[in-house]
Tab-separated table of all heavy atoms in Angstrom:
chain	number	residue	atom	x	y	z
A	9	ARG	N	97.240	117.326	124.518
A	9	ARG	CA	96.597	118.461	125.190
A	9	ARG	C	97.550	119.020	126.257
A	9	ARG	O	98.583	118.424	126.567
A	9	ARG	CB	95.289	118.015	125.855
A	9	ARG	CG	94.271	117.434	124.890
A	9	ARG	CD	93.633	118.516	124.034
A	9	ARG	NE	92.573	117.992	123.180
A	9	ARG	CZ	92.739	117.588	121.923
A	9	ARG	NH1	93.950	117.622	121.389
A	9	ARG	NH2	91.738	117.142	121.211
A	10	ASP	N	97.158	120.148	126.828
A	10	ASP	CA	97.989	120.759	127.863
A	10	ASP	C	98.246	119.791	129.012
A	10	ASP	O	99.329	119.761	129.586
A	10	ASP	CB	97.317	122.028	128.402
A	10	ASP	CG	97.429	123.195	127.435
A	10	ASP	OD1	98.218	123.092	126.484
A	10	ASP	OD2	96.726	124.197	127.639
A	11	LYS	N	97.230	118.992	129.341
A	11	LYS	CA	97.375	118.058	130.463
A	11	LYS	C	98.418	116.983	130.194
A	11	LYS	O	98.870	116.310	131.117
A	11	LYS	CB	96.030	117.395	130.757
A	11	LYS	CG	95.518	116.472	129.669
A	11	LYS	CD	94.161	115.891	130.016
A	11	LYS	CE	93.618	114.998	128.903
A	11	LYS	NZ	94.471	113.852	128.613
A	12	ASP	N	98.807	116.813	128.920
A	12	ASP	CA	99.763	115.765	128.565
A	12	ASP	C	101.216	116.229	128.604
A	12	ASP	O	102.122	115.416	128.410
A	12	ASP	CB	99.453	115.240	127.160
A	12	ASP	CG	98.080	114.612	127.081
A	12	ASP	OD1	97.724	113.874	128.017
A	12	ASP	OD2	97.366	114.856	126.090
A	13	ILE	N	101.428	117.510	128.858
A	13	ILE	CA	102.798	118.020	128.905
A	13	ILE	C	103.577	117.298	130.014
A	13	ILE	O	103.108	117.189	131.145
A	13	ILE	CB	102.816	119.548	129.143
A	13	ILE	CG1	102.247	120.267	127.923
A	13	ILE	CG2	104.234	120.039	129.432
A	13	ILE	CD1	102.100	121.763	128.100
A	14	GLY	N	104.724	116.784	129.664
A	14	GLY	CA	105.552	116.057	130.621
A	14	GLY	C	105.389	114.553	130.549
A	14	GLY	O	106.177	113.817	131.143
A	15	ARG	N	104.372	114.072	129.810
A	15	ARG	CA	104.157	112.630	129.679
A	15	ARG	C	104.886	112.107	128.444
A	15	ARG	O	105.150	112.843	127.502
A	15	ARG	CB	102.668	112.311	129.562
A	15	ARG	CG	101.823	112.763	130.730
A	15	ARG	CD	100.367	112.377	130.504
A	15	ARG	NE	100.211	110.912	130.463
A	15	ARG	CZ	99.233	110.298	129.815
A	15	ARG	NH1	98.338	110.984	129.136
A	15	ARG	NH2	99.145	108.984	129.842
A	16	TYR	N	105.173	110.816	128.450
A	16	TYR	CA	105.734	110.191	127.263
A	16	TYR	C	104.691	110.177	126.156
A	16	TYR	O	103.512	109.920	126.401
A	16	TYR	CB	106.175	108.754	127.562
A	16	TYR	CG	107.415	108.646	128.413
A	16	TYR	CD1	107.367	108.033	129.659
A	16	TYR	CD2	108.621	109.152	127.956
A	16	TYR	CE1	108.506	107.925	130.441
A	16	TYR	CE2	109.763	109.057	128.729
A	16	TYR	CZ	109.709	108.436	129.973
A	16	TYR	OH	110.836	108.339	130.730
A	17	LYS	N	105.144	110.426	124.922
A	17	LYS	CA	104.220	110.443	123.788
A	17	LYS	C	103.520	109.100	123.612
A	17	LYS	O	102.342	109.047	123.257
A	17	LYS	CB	104.973	110.828	122.515
A	17	LYS	CG	105.353	112.291	122.453
A	17	LYS	CD	106.040	112.637	121.153
A	17	LYS	CE	107.496	112.215	121.171
A	17	LYS	NZ	108.234	112.646	119.967
A	18	VAL	N	104.254	108.009	123.839
A	18	VAL	CA	103.631	106.688	123.655
A	18	VAL	C	102.465	106.492	124.613
A	18	VAL	O	101.460	105.860	124.261
A	18	VAL	CB	104.655	105.548	123.827
A	18	VAL	CG1	105.646	105.534	122.683
A	18	VAL	CG2	105.378	105.647	125.160
A	19	ASP	N	102.562	107.035	125.824
A	19	ASP	CA	101.469	106.894	126.790
A	19	ASP	C	100.256	107.723	126.371
A	19	ASP	O	99.109	107.305	126.545
A	19	ASP	CB	101.940	107.308	128.183
A	19	ASP	CG	102.998	106.356	128.736
A	19	ASP	OD1	103.000	105.181	128.325
A	19	ASP	OD2	103.816	106.796	129.567
A	20	VAL	N	100.524	108.906	125.823
A	20	VAL	CA	99.436	109.750	125.336
A	20	VAL	C	98.696	109.051	124.199
A	20	VAL	O	97.460	109.019	124.160
A	20	VAL	CB	99.981	111.115	124.857
A	20	VAL	CG1	98.869	111.952	124.230
A	20	VAL	CG2	100.622	111.872	126.015
A	21	VAL	N	99.459	108.477	123.271
A	21	VAL	CA	98.848	107.793	122.136
A	21	VAL	C	98.079	106.558	122.594
A	21	VAL	O	96.980	106.272	122.101
A	21	VAL	CB	99.916	107.430	121.086
A	21	VAL	CG1	99.311	106.567	119.982
A	21	VAL	CG2	100.519	108.694	120.492
A	22	CYS	N	98.630	105.798	123.543
A	22	CYS	CA	97.926	104.623	124.071
A	22	CYS	C	96.592	105.012	124.675
A	22	CYS	O	95.580	104.326	124.460
A	22	CYS	CB	98.795	103.921	125.114
A	22	CYS	SG	100.114	102.917	124.416
A	23	ASP	N	96.558	106.108	125.423
A	23	ASP	CA	95.304	106.578	126.011
A	23	ASP	C	94.304	106.957	124.924
A	23	ASP	O	93.111	106.642	125.018
A	23	ASP	CB	95.552	107.780	126.918
A	23	ASP	CG	96.210	107.390	128.237
A	23	ASP	OD1	96.267	106.184	128.523
A	23	ASP	OD2	96.651	108.301	128.962
A	24	ALA	N	94.796	107.618	123.861
A	24	ALA	CA	93.909	108.035	122.771
A	24	ALA	C	93.318	106.829	122.061
A	24	ALA	O	92.128	106.808	121.722
A	24	ALA	CB	94.670	108.913	121.782
A	25	VAL	N	94.135	105.794	121.842
A	25	VAL	CA	93.648	104.584	121.178
A	25	VAL	C	92.607	103.884	122.048
A	25	VAL	O	91.559	103.443	121.568
A	25	VAL	CB	94.813	103.630	120.862
A	25	VAL	CG1	94.300	102.283	120.375
A	25	VAL	CG2	95.739	104.243	119.819
A	26	THR	N	92.883	103.799	123.349
A	26	THR	CA	91.949	103.138	124.270
A	26	THR	C	90.618	103.876	124.333
A	26	THR	O	89.545	103.254	124.360
A	26	THR	CB	92.567	103.049	125.682
A	26	THR	OG1	93.776	102.287	125.598
A	26	THR	CG2	91.616	102.379	126.650
A	27	GLU	N	90.669	105.208	124.359
A	27	GLU	CA	89.440	105.989	124.410
A	27	GLU	C	88.637	105.881	123.114
A	27	GLU	O	87.410	105.937	123.118
A	27	GLU	CB	89.772	107.456	124.696
A	27	GLU	CG	90.314	107.688	126.100
A	27	GLU	CD	90.892	109.081	126.279
A	27	GLU	OE1	90.810	109.877	125.314
A	27	GLU	OE2	91.423	109.373	127.361
A	28	THR	N	89.349	105.696	121.996
A	28	THR	CA	88.674	105.593	120.705
A	28	THR	C	88.110	104.194	120.480
A	28	THR	O	87.019	104.035	119.929
A	28	THR	CB	89.647	105.947	119.563
A	28	THR	OG1	90.212	107.241	119.815
A	28	THR	CG2	88.928	105.968	118.219
A	29	TYR	N	88.866	103.180	120.922
A	29	TYR	CA	88.455	101.783	120.725
A	29	TYR	C	88.421	101.074	122.086
A	29	TYR	O	89.279	100.239	122.376
A	29	TYR	CB	89.410	101.065	119.781
A	29	TYR	CG	89.580	101.759	118.444
A	29	TYR	CD1	90.720	102.532	118.181
A	29	TYR	CD2	88.612	101.654	117.453
A	29	TYR	CE1	90.874	103.168	116.960
A	29	TYR	CE2	88.757	102.288	116.233
A	29	TYR	CZ	89.894	103.044	115.984
A	29	TYR	OH	90.042	103.684	114.783
A	30	PRO	N	87.437	101.385	122.915
A	30	PRO	CA	87.420	100.846	124.289
A	30	PRO	C	87.191	99.336	124.365
A	30	PRO	O	87.493	98.722	125.391
A	30	PRO	CB	86.273	101.615	124.954
A	30	PRO	CG	85.384	102.024	123.820
A	30	PRO	CD	86.302	102.279	122.664
A	31	GLN	N	86.676	98.725	123.290
A	31	GLN	CA	86.375	97.294	123.333
A	31	GLN	C	87.576	96.425	122.972
A	31	GLN	O	87.535	95.206	123.132
A	31	GLN	CB	85.220	96.983	122.364
A	31	GLN	CG	83.960	97.791	122.628
A	31	GLN	CD	83.448	97.638	124.053
A	31	GLN	OE1	83.447	96.540	124.600
A	31	GLN	NE2	83.016	98.739	124.660
A	32	THR	N	88.640	97.030	122.480
A	32	THR	CA	89.824	96.257	122.090
A	32	THR	C	90.822	96.216	123.240
A	32	THR	O	90.779	97.061	124.143
A	32	THR	CB	90.499	96.881	120.858
A	32	THR	OG1	90.922	98.215	121.183
A	32	THR	CG2	89.541	96.937	119.677
A	33	PRO	N	91.726	95.235	123.238
A	33	PRO	CA	92.754	95.188	124.291
A	33	PRO	C	93.577	96.477	124.306
A	33	PRO	O	93.859	97.061	123.259
A	33	PRO	CB	93.622	93.997	123.879
A	33	PRO	CG	92.722	93.148	123.047
A	33	PRO	CD	91.818	94.087	122.312
A	34	ARG	N	93.938	96.904	125.491
A	34	ARG	CA	94.678	98.161	125.625
A	34	ARG	C	96.029	98.077	124.942
A	34	ARG	O	96.740	97.075	125.056
A	34	ARG	CB	94.862	98.506	127.101
A	34	ARG	CG	95.643	99.806	127.309
A	34	ARG	CD	95.709	100.229	128.757
A	34	ARG	NE	96.583	101.373	128.925
A	34	ARG	CZ	96.241	102.623	128.666
A	34	ARG	NH1	95.029	102.869	128.217
A	34	ARG	NH2	97.092	103.615	128.847
A	35	SER	N	96.369	99.131	124.217
A	35	SER	CA	97.679	99.203	123.581
A	35	SER	C	98.767	99.307	124.643
A	35	SER	O	98.539	99.818	125.748
A	35	SER	CB	97.753	100.419	122.655
A	35	SER	OG	96.777	100.335	121.649
A	36	VAL	N	99.946	98.848	124.307
A	36	VAL	CA	101.079	98.908	125.225
A	36	VAL	C	102.151	99.801	124.617
A	36	VAL	O	102.569	99.590	123.468
A	36	VAL	CB	101.657	97.505	125.482
A	36	VAL	CG1	102.890	97.598	126.386
A	36	VAL	CG2	100.601	96.606	126.103
A	37	GLY	N	102.575	100.803	125.351
A	37	GLY	CA	103.624	101.705	124.879
A	37	GLY	C	104.938	101.424	125.583
A	37	GLY	O	104.967	101.121	126.774
A	38	ILE	N	106.028	101.512	124.836
A	38	ILE	CA	107.361	101.332	125.404
A	38	ILE	C	108.114	102.641	125.199
A	38	ILE	O	108.424	103.011	124.059
A	38	ILE	CB	108.116	100.167	124.719
A	38	ILE	CG1	107.320	98.871	124.856
A	38	ILE	CG2	109.516	100.012	125.309
A	38	ILE	CD1	107.891	97.713	124.056
A	39	ALA	N	108.392	103.341	126.259
A	39	ALA	CA	109.020	104.660	126.176
A	39	ALA	C	110.540	104.524	126.082
A	39	ALA	O	111.286	104.956	126.971
A	39	ALA	CB	108.626	105.506	127.380
A	40	LYS	N	110.980	103.896	125.009
A	40	LYS	CA	112.410	103.716	124.759
A	40	LYS	C	112.667	103.828	123.271
A	40	LYS	O	111.742	103.756	122.454
A	40	LYS	CB	112.879	102.341	125.262
A	40	LYS	CG	112.760	102.160	126.772
A	40	LYS	CD	113.271	100.793	127.198
A	40	LYS	CE	113.110	100.601	128.702
A	40	LYS	NZ	113.958	101.529	129.462
A	41	SER	N	113.928	103.962	122.899
A	41	SER	CA	114.295	103.980	121.492
A	41	SER	C	114.224	102.573	120.924
A	41	SER	O	114.623	101.604	121.584
A	41	SER	CB	115.718	104.525	121.318
A	41	SER	OG	116.174	104.293	119.993
A	42	ILE	N	113.756	102.458	119.696
A	42	ILE	CA	113.696	101.164	119.043
A	42	ILE	C	115.099	100.615	118.777
A	42	ILE	O	115.287	99.421	118.542
A	42	ILE	CB	112.900	101.268	117.720
A	42	ILE	CG1	112.512	99.886	117.202
A	42	ILE	CG2	113.693	102.042	116.677
A	42	ILE	CD1	111.573	99.932	116.021
A	43	LEU	N	116.093	101.503	118.854
A	43	LEU	CA	117.476	101.076	118.634
A	43	LEU	C	118.110	100.466	119.885
A	43	LEU	O	119.212	99.933	119.821
A	43	LEU	CB	118.318	102.273	118.167
A	43	LEU	CG	117.865	102.929	116.858
A	43	LEU	CD1	118.750	104.105	116.508
A	43	LEU	CD2	117.847	101.916	115.722
A	44	GLU	N	117.398	100.531	121.023
A	44	GLU	CA	117.904	99.921	122.254
A	44	GLU	C	117.598	98.422	122.239
A	44	GLU	O	116.802	97.909	123.024
A	44	GLU	CB	117.262	100.591	123.475
A	44	GLU	CG	117.631	102.059	123.642
A	44	GLU	CD	116.993	102.670	124.878
A	44	GLU	OE1	117.018	102.039	125.950
A	44	GLU	OE2	116.454	103.791	124.769
A	45	ILE	N	118.268	97.715	121.347
A	45	ILE	CA	117.933	96.302	121.114
A	45	ILE	C	118.304	95.417	122.294
A	45	ILE	O	117.820	94.287	122.399
A	45	ILE	CB	118.610	95.785	119.836
A	45	ILE	CG1	120.136	95.951	119.927
A	45	ILE	CG2	118.073	96.507	118.618
A	45	ILE	CD1	120.877	95.342	118.759
A	46	ASP	N	119.165	95.885	123.186
A	46	ASP	CA	119.532	95.091	124.356
A	46	ASP	C	118.504	95.201	125.472
A	46	ASP	O	118.561	94.433	126.442
A	46	ASP	CB	120.914	95.512	124.880
A	46	ASP	CG	122.024	95.179	123.892
A	46	ASP	OD1	121.859	94.194	123.148
A	46	ASP	OD2	123.030	95.906	123.859
A	47	ASP	N	117.570	96.148	125.340
A	47	ASP	CA	116.525	96.287	126.345
A	47	ASP	C	115.524	95.147	126.165
A	47	ASP	O	115.021	94.927	125.049
A	47	ASP	CB	115.823	97.639	126.196
A	47	ASP	CG	114.772	97.851	127.254
A	47	ASP	OD1	113.621	97.405	127.036
A	47	ASP	OD2	115.080	98.447	128.290
A	48	PRO	N	115.200	94.413	127.221
A	48	PRO	CA	114.298	93.250	127.093
A	48	PRO	C	112.934	93.589	126.512
A	48	PRO	O	112.394	92.829	125.700
A	48	PRO	CB	114.182	92.737	128.527
A	48	PRO	CG	115.415	93.222	129.216
A	48	PRO	CD	115.741	94.545	128.583
A	49	SER	N	112.360	94.726	126.919
A	49	SER	CA	111.019	95.065	126.430
A	49	SER	C	111.045	95.397	124.939
A	49	SER	O	110.130	95.019	124.188
A	49	SER	CB	110.443	96.240	127.224
A	49	SER	OG	111.272	97.388	127.111
A	50	VAL	N	112.083	96.112	124.496
A	50	VAL	CA	112.212	96.443	123.070
A	50	VAL	C	112.460	95.184	122.254
A	50	VAL	O	111.813	94.939	121.234
A	50	VAL	CB	113.351	97.463	122.846
A	50	VAL	CG1	113.578	97.685	121.349
A	50	VAL	CG2	113.045	98.777	123.534
A	51	SER	N	113.393	94.360	122.705
A	51	SER	CA	113.733	93.132	121.987
A	51	SER	C	112.539	92.198	121.871
A	51	SER	O	112.243	91.662	120.802
A	51	SER	CB	114.892	92.428	122.688
A	51	SER	OG	115.230	91.230	122.029
A	52	ALA	N	111.817	92.014	122.973
A	52	ALA	CA	110.666	91.110	122.970
A	52	ALA	C	109.571	91.630	122.044
A	52	ALA	O	108.929	90.853	121.324
A	52	ALA	CB	110.130	90.953	124.393
A	53	SER	N	109.353	92.942	122.042
A	53	SER	CA	108.320	93.526	121.192
A	53	SER	C	108.654	93.345	119.720
A	53	SER	O	107.801	92.977	118.911
A	53	SER	CB	108.159	95.005	121.519
A	53	SER	OG	107.163	95.588	120.717
A	54	LEU	N	109.920	93.597	119.357
A	54	LEU	CA	110.329	93.457	117.963
A	54	LEU	C	110.216	92.014	117.491
A	54	LEU	O	109.763	91.735	116.381
A	54	LEU	CB	111.759	93.963	117.778
A	54	LEU	CG	111.979	95.469	117.911
A	54	LEU	CD1	113.462	95.801	117.787
A	54	LEU	CD2	111.188	96.223	116.857
A	55	LYS	N	110.630	91.083	118.343
A	55	LYS	CA	110.647	89.682	117.935
A	55	LYS	C	109.258	89.057	117.887
A	55	LYS	O	109.050	88.058	117.191
A	55	LYS	CB	111.558	88.887	118.873
A	55	LYS	CG	113.030	89.241	118.716
A	55	LYS	CD	113.924	88.454	119.662
A	55	LYS	CE	115.384	88.831	119.470
A	55	LYS	NZ	116.280	88.089	120.396
A	56	SER	N	108.296	89.637	118.607
A	56	SER	CA	106.939	89.086	118.613
A	56	SER	C	106.032	89.752	117.584
A	56	SER	O	104.922	89.288	117.348
A	56	SER	CB	106.322	89.227	120.003
A	56	SER	OG	106.157	90.602	120.335
A	57	ALA	N	106.503	90.826	116.961
A	57	ALA	CA	105.676	91.573	116.008
A	57	ALA	C	105.524	90.812	114.693
A	57	ALA	O	106.365	89.982	114.329
A	57	ALA	CB	106.304	92.941	115.746
A	58	THR	N	104.439	91.086	113.977
A	58	THR	CA	104.237	90.532	112.640
A	58	THR	C	104.519	91.573	111.559
A	58	THR	O	104.652	91.237	110.386
A	58	THR	CB	102.802	90.011	112.473
A	58	THR	OG1	101.881	91.076	112.757
A	58	THR	CG2	102.546	88.846	113.436
A	59	LEU	N	104.594	92.842	111.949
A	59	LEU	CA	104.977	93.922	111.047
A	59	LEU	C	105.536	95.064	111.880
A	59	LEU	O	104.947	95.448	112.884
A	59	LEU	CB	103.773	94.418	110.230
A	59	LEU	CG	104.060	95.578	109.272
A	59	LEU	CD1	104.959	95.122	108.124
A	59	LEU	CD2	102.760	96.160	108.725
A	60	ILE	N	106.671	95.596	111.472
A	60	ILE	CA	107.289	96.739	112.154
A	60	ILE	C	107.233	97.932	111.212
A	60	ILE	O	107.655	97.827	110.050
A	60	ILE	CB	108.749	96.436	112.543
A	60	ILE	CG1	108.807	95.265	113.521
A	60	ILE	CG2	109.414	97.681	113.140
A	60	ILE	CD1	110.219	94.755	113.779
A	61	VAL	N	106.706	99.060	111.693
A	61	VAL	CA	106.603	100.263	110.868
A	61	VAL	C	107.383	101.391	111.535
A	61	VAL	O	107.065	101.791	112.656
A	61	VAL	CB	105.137	100.688	110.667
A	61	VAL	CG1	105.074	101.931	109.782
A	61	VAL	CG2	104.332	99.555	110.055
A	62	ASP	N	108.396	101.888	110.837
A	62	ASP	CA	109.186	103.016	111.324
A	62	ASP	C	108.528	104.307	110.846
A	62	ASP	O	108.401	104.544	109.652
A	62	ASP	CB	110.612	102.921	110.778
A	62	ASP	CG	111.343	104.252	110.859
A	62	ASP	OD1	111.289	104.876	111.934
A	62	ASP	OD2	111.948	104.666	109.846
A	63	ALA	N	108.094	105.123	111.795
A	63	ALA	CA	107.521	106.428	111.462
A	63	ALA	C	108.309	107.533	112.156
A	63	ALA	O	107.786	108.603	112.458
A	63	ALA	CB	106.053	106.486	111.859
Side-chain angles (χ1 to χ4, degrees):
R9 300 287 185 266
D10 285 347
K11 67 182 178 61
D12 298 317
I13 292 175
R15 301 181 64 206
Y16 288 118
K17 287 183 281 185
V18 291
D19 294 334
V20 175
V21 173
C22 282
D23 286 349
V25 171
T26 300
E27 292 169 3
T28 305
Y29 305 102
Q31 304 304 319
T32 61
R34 179 174 173 80
S35 300
V36 177
I38 302 172
K40 296 181 182 295
S41 168
I42 195 172
L43 300 179
E44 295 181 45
I45 58 174
D46 294 330
D47 182 274
S49 59
V50 174
S51 179
S53 180
L54 291 176
K55 291 179 180 179
S56 65
T58 56
L59 179 68
I60 298 171
V61 181
D62 161 48

